[in-house]
Amino acid sequence: MALRPNERARIRNGLILFALSFAGLLVVASLASHGNKESEIYRWLRWASLICLYLAIVNVASVLVFEVILDPLRLKPPRIMRDLLLAVTYVVV
């Protein structure tokens, strides 16, 4: 956040997704420790938590790559290209 103040909203969204994922994975671990690994709630909550985690990683990685690594090298791709690459990454995840 200190390196790129313009990207604070995207980093904050990534941190919120990390927090949601962490909370969900804690609940999933609690369910698993009580022997509820076969329940629908366990499976859906685990899936949602992992999706939040993967989306958070993609969000923060995009800021890291495009703003922290490429910007000082003066390699600034157009915004539409960054958005399309981000969309493709979301679909792959």
Side-chain angles (χ1 to χ4, degrees), residues 2-88:
L3 292 175
R4 296 292 174 202
N6 295 340
E7 299 296 324
R8 282 187 183 158
R10 289 177 58 195
I11 294 171
R12 184 178 43 240
N13 290 341
L15 290 176
I16 290 170
L17 284 171
F18 272 126
L20 286 173
S21 173
F22 183 71
L25 289 174
L26 284 177
V27 172
V28 166
S30 174
L31 287 172
S33 70
H34 292 295
N36 294 332
K37 281 189 172 182
E38 300 303 320
S39 70
E40 287 290 319
I41 294 173
Y42 171 83
R43 282 189 253 157
W44 279 102
L45 192 57
R46 183 175 183 272
W47 178 82
S49 298
L50 290 176
I51 287 294
C52 285
L53 177 65
Y54 298 147
L55 293 180
I57 290 170
V58 168
N59 241 358
V60 173
S62 72
V63 172
L64 179 72
V65 168
F66 290 119
E67 299 299 327
V68 176
I69 295 174
L70 291 181
D71 200 32
L73 298 174
R74 296 185 186 194
L75 298 171
K76 191 135 175 116
R79 185 72 183 180
I80 187 72
M81 185 173 143
R82 293 184 339 189
D83 289 343
L84 287 173
L85 285 172
L86 192 59
V88 168

